Amino acid sequence: MNFTRWSARLPGTQRRAAARTEHAVSPDRRGEGSVPAARAEQLTDDSPCVPAVDELPARGVLDHVPALVALVHGPDHHIAYVNDAYTSAFGARPPGAPAREALPELAELGLLPLLDQVLRSGKPRTLKSRKALDGRTYTFTCTPVAEHGDRDGGVLLFATDVTDHAEAAERLRASERRQRETAVTLQRSLLPQELEQPDDLRIAATYQPGGTEAAVGGDWYDVITLGGGRTALVIGDVMGRGVRAAAVMGQLRTAVRAYARLDLPPHEVLQLLDGLATEIDPNQIATCVYAVHDPNEGRLVYASAGHLPILVRDEHGSVLRTEEPTGPPLGTGGWVHASASVPLGPGSTAVLYTDGLVERRDEDLDEGIAALERALAGATGTPQVICDRLVRSAGVTADHDDDVAVLVLQHPARTGPDGDLFRNAALELLGGIEAAPRARAFASGVLTSWRFPADLHDLGVLATSELVANSLQHGTPPMRLRLRRTDRRLIIEVTDGDDHLPRRRRAEPGDESGRGIAIVATIASGWGSRRTPGGGKAVWCEFVLPKG
């Protein structure tokens, strides 16, 4: 193949040919306004003459270029020329043979359709970072060497070896993958491995990390049984990404569990968390909802620190969105949070979630929450089924750009034999010291009607006597005794109007009092006390029922 024929048709050759013709005119015509072509001129008599670019032989230049160069022509892309670098990489190529047969490396890389496109359009195209048959990675640039629409035109291929760059980029991607895997592992290890399942609630949760392009965030959730049939539920989101956010999340989750053991109102727990978040990292903030469910009240008492509203679906399918009160995120300081409550009766379902479930870049946040409300209104089944359905309805996939945490809890409506396992009985303690024998008689009758075995019956009556006696001695009216049974435990609780919490202490042999709480703590599976919202306190103990 005549290379000169095709090199003459490279872009710009016509201009350079015209320039050479103009320089060939007689010296007398140079002053008539013509501009000589750009070329090296002698600055002094001793300076050597440097050849101009127009005078460099094209083939000689391409032969010594370290990049891979090939020239093809015609609709079948017949080989016109390959340089030494191309031959060293892929071997000798016979001139005149079509590229589909003689350049299998181009077919392997999918370059043949690109050559067709360049030939048709007359515009250059680039294919970046493709790994060739020789194991190296190249960036291919295809440039037309003929006028647009010339079917007999040619294409110049210029391949730059970018193997080092590609390997460096792959090492960087691998490092990022390892960091993300570390963050995901840390995140999952800090989340509860198995959710606690209270007697009166059914609970399920899910966590979905962001896609491979998104760093892991600090979403978390937890379920904490407080004793006395009460349950704390928490969900939060640490602002930021990566291992740091996951580590802060772990510290906050541990602190929540510790503060929950104090059995404080939700807003007081958030106050403690707010101070701790500031100490952990003054530049890190987090949103959080802390809620407590009491089956005796049939309500969910909650406090929010800048978090999204809780959604509650009642037994008829109507969805309620909690609004106020909502304080600023944790870590901002200087704010007094407040508690509120929302009904959660039998047959109700509540959903706590993070912003990754409802927030989208192309729509308002309220639209995402409204869509979640509609999905919850039609969701039925177990908490896990509802959890999965809400995630699917929100369009959360493995490539989602943010991590997502969802916590679903149900207060099931129990009827029939299942309902018989959940009973309540209460007695107002009136009349001073004579209230103690009435309380013992009441407890004995209730436990007998619930058909508890004799040993559990006697322990229950003894615990009732000690708790009532402690309340009569140290508390103030109004006083109330409440017995509750579930399918797993017996709970005995006494409330009064004094807010001084009892503590277990060691009574000396000569002391006439101080042994009641110690006796309760010895015979019961667990005991505790808390201040009640209206002032006063509640002291409780519980016994685990025998299986079978």
Side-chain angles (χ1 to χ4, degrees):
M1 188 67 196
N2 187 349
F3 179 78
T4 304
R5 173 194 170 198
W6 293 103
S7 63
R9 302 179 71 177
L10 290 171
T13 52
Q14 293 88 347
R15 176 185 57 79
R16 290 191 292 272
R20 284 195 295 272
T21 303
E22 188 172 333
H23 280 286
V25 300
S26 63
D28 296 337
R29 298 183 59 187
R30 287 189 179 177
E32 297 178 4
S34 62
V35 179
R39 67 169 62 233
E41 297 181 356
Q42 286 187 328
L43 300 179
T44 66
D45 294 338
D46 298 330
S47 59
C49 181
V50 179
V53 173
D54 291 344
E55 296 177 355
L56 294 177
R59 178 161 187 159
V61 173
L62 297 179
D63 282 341
H64 293 87
V65 168
L68 280 59
V69 178
L71 182 68
V72 296
H73 73 93
D76 293 329
H77 310 298
H78 294 274
I79 300 174
Y81 166 77
V82 293
N83 70 346
D84 295 340
Y86 196 104
T87 302
S88 299
F90 299 115
R93 295 294 183 261
R100 187 173 301 278
E101 300 174 3
L103 301 176
E105 60 277 0
L106 300 186
E108 180 72 20
L109 294 171
L111 272 170
L112 297 183
L114 189 64
L115 294 178
D116 294 336
Q117 183 181 358
V118 170
L119 195 61
R120 288 193 305 269
S121 66
K123 297 179 180 180
R125 294 288 186 270
T126 298
L127 191 66
K128 295 183 177 181
S129 297
R130 290 297 178 93
K131 193 169 185 178
L133 296 176
D134 65 343
R136 309 291 292 176
T137 301
Y138 300 93
T139 290
F140 290 86
T141 299
C142 303
T143 305
V145 293
E147 298 298 330
H148 172 62
D150 186 355
R151 295 289 294 171
D152 294 327
V155 178
L156 180 70
L157 285 85
F158 190 90
T160 306
D161 190 337
V162 294
T163 304
D164 292 341
H165 297 284
E167 291 177 351
E170 180 56 35
R171 287 193 297 269
L172 180 60
R173 286 191 293 268
S175 176
E176 292 174 346
R177 285 194 297 268
R178 287 192 298 269
Q179 291 182 12
R180 184 178 183 279
E181 290 169 0
T182 300
V184 170
T185 301
L186 175 61
Q187 175 88 336
R188 291 193 181 278
S189 66
L190 293 174
L191 292 174
Q193 304 304 303
E194 184 176 353
L195 287 178
E196 298 182 27
Q197 293 294 331
D199 297 356
D200 294 273
L201 296 175
R202 296 173 182 167
I203 300 178
T206 186
Y207 171 73
Q208 176 68 50
T212 55
E213 299 299 324
V216 176
D219 292 13
W220 93 91
Y221 57 83
D222 209 349
V223 178
I224 309 164
T225 53
L226 302 176
R230 302 168 73 249
T231 306
L233 306 115
V234 59
I235 194 164
D237 184 2
V238 177
M239 301 296 104
R241 302 282 180 157
V243 175
R244 178 58 183 168
V248 172
M249 176 274 288
Q251 295 177 75
L252 290 178
R253 176 175 175 260
T254 301
V256 170
R257 295 193 70 87
Y259 295 148
R261 300 305 177 191
L262 301 176
D263 213 342
L264 300 171
H267 65 276
E268 293 189 22
V269 172
L270 291 189
Q271 291 295 134
L272 294 172
L273 282 175
D274 185 32
L276 179 65
T278 304
E279 294 178 9
I280 292 174
D281 188 344
N283 300 317
Q284 194 85 51
I285 63 174
T287 64
C288 179
V289 166
Y290 182 86
V292 175
H293 176 256
D294 188 337
N296 297 308
E297 303 295 336
R299 302 187 70 82
L300 193 66
V301 181
Y302 68 93
S304 174
H307 204 77
L308 298 171
I310 302 172
L311 301 182
V312 179
R313 177 184 182 273
D314 63 20
E315 65 273 21
H316 305 296
S318 299
V319 178
L320 172 66
R321 181 195 303 190
T322 63
E323 295 295 344
E324 297 293 341
T326 299
L330 304 176
T332 55
W335 182 269
V336 178
H337 291 84
S339 294
S341 65
V342 61
L344 190 71
S348 299
T349 300
V351 178
L352 291 77
Y353 52 96
T354 58
D355 58 0
L357 185 67
V358 295
E359 189 174 32
R360 301 293 180 269
R361 296 179 181 178
D362 56 348
E363 66 181 30
D364 187 75
L365 181 61
D366 284 337
E367 295 179 8
I369 298 176
L372 183 63
E373 288 181 359
R374 293 190 294 271
L376 177 60
T380 58
T382 66
Q384 188 60 60
V385 170
I386 295 176
C387 209
D388 296 339
R389 180 171 178 177
L390 295 180
V391 171
R392 287 196 304 271
S393 68
V396 177
T397 63
D399 297 328
H400 197 57
D401 60 358
D402 194 7
D403 50 350
V404 174
V406 183
L407 182 65
V408 176
L409 57 139
Q410 281 183 344
H411 186 185
R414 295 182 172 92
T415 57
D418 188 36
D420 292 337
L421 298 177
F422 292 79
R423 298 288 187 87
N424 286 279
L427 174 67
E428 299 295 331
L429 300 176
L430 305 173
I433 59 174
E434 64 269 21
R438 285 204 305 271
R440 286 193 293 270
F442 175 78
S444 178
V446 170
L447 298 180
T448 300
S449 68
W450 288 348
R451 298 180 181 179
F452 284 164
D455 56 343
L456 183 57
H457 171 279
D458 295 342
L459 291 176
V461 172
L462 176 58
T464 300
S465 178
E466 295 298 335
L467 292 180
V468 170
N470 181 80
S471 181
L472 291 172
Q473 182 174 358
H474 302 288
T476 59
M479 301 178 185
R480 191 175 191 228
L481 168 66
R482 182 160 54 192
L483 286 81
R484 175 174 173 78
R485 71 155 296 170
T486 70
D487 58 344
R488 286 183 274 181
R489 70 195 77 236
L490 165 67
I491 302 168
I492 302 170
E493 182 180 80
V494 176
T495 59
D496 63 58
D498 185 85
D499 62 357
H500 290 85
L501 300 180
R503 59 186 178 88
R504 182 179 180 180
R505 64 185 181 89
R506 181 176 180 179
E508 299 297 330
D511 293 344
E512 296 182 359
S513 62
R515 295 178 177 83
I517 295 300
I519 293 174
V520 171
T522 301
I523 64 176
S525 304
W527 79 281
S529 62
R530 71 179 187 280
R531 290 185 174 88
T532 53
K537 66 177 179 294
V539 185
W540 57 269
C541 69
E542 61 184 24
F543 297 85
V544 176
L545 302 183
K547 295 181 180 180

